[in-house]
Amino acid sequence: MTSSDADFQLLNDARAWAAQDPDPVTATTLTELVKLTEAGTPSARQELADSFNGTLEFGTAGLRAALGPGPNRMNRVVVRRAAAGFASFLAGAVAQASPGTRPRAVVGYDARYNSDIFAEETAAIFTAAGFDTFLMPGALPTPLLAYAVRALECDGGVMVTASHNPPQDNGYKVYLGRHAVEDSGRGAQIVAPYDALIAAEIAKVGSLDSIPLAADGWTVLDAGIARDYESATAALADRELFPARDLKIVLTPMHGVGGETAVSVLNAAGFTDVTVVSEQAEPDPDFPTVSFPNPEEPGALDLALGAAMQADADIVVANDPDADRAAVAAKDPDTGAWRMLRGDEVGALLGAHVVARLSATGEERPDGVFANSIVSSRLLARIAAAAGYAHEETLTGFKWISRVPGLLYGYEEALGYCVAPDLVRDKDGISAAVLIAELAATAKADGKTIFDTLDELYLVHGLHASDQLNIRVADLGLLDAMMNRLRVSPPESFGGSAVETFIDLAEGSEQLPPTDGLLYLTRDLSRVIIRPSGTEPKLKCYLEVIRSVGSAAELPEARLAARTALDQVLGDVREALGL
């Protein structure tokens, strides 16, 4: 096809899309792009080409992309087709598992642009398909939708959110429940093969006008669903075992939908000294005070840290915009400066606190499993083993962690924590905030900080220090080239310690399904894992070193030694990648 033929086809596709687009905003945008392209404007032609460069793929993360017209963007046409395909999948799954049962589904949404519209049209399509359909009463956190899937005994759930993506994006997360999935997956996000099965049903959907939308008939839930979640989550705090409540908290919802819910839950749990960062308190789809609404990004916590210093707070808790993640910051007693804890540090603190809670009840200890993703720290495994609990490693992604049978607690280093899997079988930044507050208040009552608590874990289990190297590429082919380079010429050592174990994770094992990644373990127990990102054009390298510590007096030297070792490993990783 010549370039003129390609342009002719592109313009025809764009006109056809605009003619059937139910959204006047995206239809008008498309019409303007067509006019500008015809007038020879290169930027308009590029935007048009990107918008029609294939169809947005439905995967285990559902859908996520920039808002705009065309099959490669998030819009009402793409969402209607996704909803119709998901409805078809759910109807078939329920009919097979429980013939004659009417499917049930619940739909939630955040405060991003078009989230409410995408959610209502999804509810209308589910209702037209004969489902008992529930629509959340307003823009609410993702964990509340995950809670509702189980609490309302639904077969499926949809959360319209782009989580911590940039303002121009939106997304479509899918959950399964009741008759649609095995017990350990009920209330969790989908994994393979469900993504492919749903995608196949979406591909079968006919023209847009063949998708029926009910004018009414779904149930808009009242505020009771939020109150039930808040009550259950606040009740996680154990006032008898951990009565301390003297804690000054600064909270930021980062312009997202978690603020009101998080404050209500913390207050109900007895933590009443909560200051919300005023500039970021209300939902705002433009996220005006941050360049990227992700607590992990540099500068994202600047306003919260400033408020904490002004208020002389004990801790900062930051939720991402849909409140399924939680970041924690506190004043480091070694430096006197505020810093955000790494996800692995918070993951270990919460794991040890869950162990303490289970051990302190005086009742028979429950059987169960602690779990974290393979790229997260090995410290949780040592904490669990010392307490007599089983531990499992999973693939990256909370959809795997939440499925571990018998899960008591799970986390991933990217600020995701599941502290109450019976309530929310997903990461939940609000329930995590409750237990973070509980452990921080307990430490304060004992004259300590959370950093002191962390040091106590290091004295018992060894100092675990981690770091990351992220390499962003413009050409996705470079990711394959770097991974192939490592497979053909595997490094023999990292940080001066010989590689003793090399595992190509693409081969899979009894413990883990295949995934594109490489794991190296050295003689001194340093670990390097290298994998392409599943959501961004990045190569991600996860590093961890472990140093034994005999006494508290040795901790400063051990920290310096660990940092030196990490820097050496980083240098070797760069060299191995040819950087």
Side-chain angles (χ1 to χ4, degrees):
M1 183 183 290
T2 66
S3 59
S4 58
D5 288 339
D7 281 357
F8 180 78
Q9 184 64 54
L10 176 61
L11 291 169
N12 272 354
D13 289 345
R15 291 190 191 98
W17 186 284
Q20 50 107 46
D21 193 337
D23 189 335
V25 175
T26 46
T28 300
T29 299
L30 204 48
T31 301
E32 288 299 316
L33 284 172
V34 167
K35 289 179 181 176
L36 290 169
T37 299
E38 289 176 322
T41 306
S43 59
R45 200 256 176 226
Q46 182 61 50
E47 176 63 24
L48 208 56
D50 288 346
S51 299
F52 284 81
N53 183 24
T55 300
L56 196 58
E57 290 188 14
F58 185 93
T60 55
L63 299 169
R64 198 175 293 186
L67 290 161
N72 199 32
R73 298 284 188 265
M74 283 294 293
N75 52 63
R76 287 166 67 181
V77 177
V78 167
V79 167
R80 285 187 187 186
R81 293 181 61 82
F86 186 37
S88 178
F89 166 80
L90 283 177
V94 172
Q96 184 174 3
S98 183
T101 298
R102 187 177 168 99
R104 291 165 67 89
V106 59
V107 184
Y109 56 97
D110 67 8
R112 285 176 180 263
Y113 289 114
N114 278 14
S115 287
D116 54 347
I117 296 170
F118 294 162
E120 186 166 325
E121 293 202 345
T122 296
I125 289 166
F126 287 171
T127 302
F131 290 19
D132 287 331
T133 305
F134 306 95
L135 182 63
M136 297 299 270
L140 290 164
T142 292
L144 222 157
L145 184 280
Y147 167 82
V149 172
R150 288 162 62 90
L152 300 175
E153 296 186 343
C154 289
D155 301 294
V158 169
M159 181 67 193
V160 182
T161 179
S163 189
H164 53 273
N165 273 40
Q168 64 268 25
D169 288 3
N170 213 328
Y172 202 77
K173 289 183 181 179
V174 169
Y175 294 76
L176 296 179
R178 201 173 62 154
H179 299 305
V181 72
E182 73 282 355
D183 181 63
S184 66
R186 289 174 189 158
Q189 289 187 59
I190 58 169
V191 294
Y194 298 107
D195 57 335
L197 296 172
I198 296 168
E201 293 299 322
I202 295 171
K204 293 177 190 174
V205 174
S207 61
L208 191 68
D209 57 13
S210 72
I211 302 171
L213 281 79
D216 52 37
W218 58 90
T219 300
V220 178
L221 296 165
D222 62 26
I225 188 71
R227 286 196 299 270
D228 290 347
Y229 166 83
E230 289 170 10
S231 297
T233 305
L236 294 172
D238 195 321
R239 293 172 185 259
E240 290 188 17
L241 295 175
F242 301 96
R245 290 295 181 272
D246 177 20
L247 191 73
K248 189 182 287 287
I249 302 169
V250 165
L251 174 80
T252 176
M254 209 152 288
H255 300 295
V257 295
E260 187 176 328
T261 304
V263 171
S264 295
V265 169
L266 286 167
N267 288 346
F271 300 101
T272 56
D273 193 350
V274 181
T275 300
V276 180
V277 177
S278 58
E279 300 95 329
Q280 299 174 331
E282 296 301 318
D284 188 331
D286 291 317
F287 305 103
T289 68
V290 289
S291 56
F292 205 95
N294 180 351
E296 291 182 292
E297 290 293 320
L301 289 189
D302 286 355
L303 284 172
L305 295 178
M309 286 184 268
Q310 188 172 356
D312 194 24
D314 296 304
I315 62 167
V316 166
V317 175
N319 290 128
D320 68 339
D322 70 330
D324 63 352
R325 301 182 189 216
V328 181
K331 189 184 292 184
D332 189 331
D334 287 345
T335 64
W338 280 82
R339 77 164 176 91
M340 190 179 113
L341 279 74
R342 299 185 69 88
D344 281 325
E345 293 174 320
V346 178
L349 285 168
L350 281 170
H353 188 62
V354 170
V355 166
R357 286 164 56 94
L358 293 170
S359 303
T361 60
E363 301 173 5
E364 185 176 346
R365 194 187 73 175
D367 291 329
V369 180
F370 286 66
N372 55 276
S373 61
I374 190 171
V375 299
S376 300
S377 173
R378 291 162 287 174
L379 180 52
L380 182 65
R382 294 191 177 191
I383 291 168
Y389 286 102
H391 175 270
E392 286 190 23
E393 284 186 332
T394 74
L395 293 184
T396 305
F398 231 91
K399 54 187 175 283
W400 297 107
I401 297 168
S402 59
R403 276 179 158 72
V404 170
L407 184 68
L408 291 170
Y409 166 73
Y411 93 93
E412 63 179 357
E413 47 74 41
L415 310 183
Y417 314 98
C418 179
V419 301
D422 289 341
L423 288 180
V424 175
R425 196 159 286 180
D426 198 2
K427 55 185 178 291
D428 181 353
I430 295 173
S431 59
V434 172
L435 293 203
I436 288 163
E438 186 176 82
L439 72 88
T442 301
K444 183 180 178 182
D446 292 338
K448 299 184 295 189
T449 70
I450 55 176
F451 291 106
D452 297 320
T453 306
L454 201 54
D455 285 346
E456 290 169 359
L457 294 176
Y458 294 154
L459 289 173
V460 176
H461 304 291
L463 174 66
H464 289 59
S466 57
D467 205 347
Q468 262 193 58
L469 174 64
N470 293 323
I471 303 153
R472 187 176 288 274
V473 298
D475 178 5
L476 289 175
L478 290 173
L479 296 180
D480 290 335
M482 286 190 282
M483 294 297 288
N484 287 337
R485 177 188 175 104
L486 292 170
R487 287 186 168 101
V488 171
S489 303
E492 296 182 357
S493 67
F494 287 105
S497 182
V499 172
E500 290 194 330
T501 303
F502 167 65
I503 300 173
D504 189 339
L505 299 172
E507 297 175 2
S509 66
E510 288 185 15
Q511 292 76 35
L512 293 173
T515 186
D516 191 8
L518 304 169
L519 184 152
Y520 306 88
L521 193 63
T522 71
R523 186 170 297 157
D524 70 356
L525 299 183
S526 296
R527 187 189 68 183
V528 175
I529 298 176
I530 301 174
R531 57 178 279 270
S533 169
T535 57
E536 297 177 273
K538 278 183 182 179
L539 193 71
K540 306 189 83 169
C541 310
Y542 304 84
L543 325 174
E544 184 178 47
V545 300
I546 302 173
R547 293 292 180 267
S548 297
V549 189
S551 67
E554 296 176 18
L555 274 167
E557 186 178 344
R559 264 191 263 277
L560 285 173
R563 184 64 257 174
T564 300
L566 282 172
D567 289 340
Q568 291 173 344
V569 174
L570 273 169
D572 290 342
V573 169
R574 288 180 180 277
E575 184 178 342
L577 292 170
L579 299 177

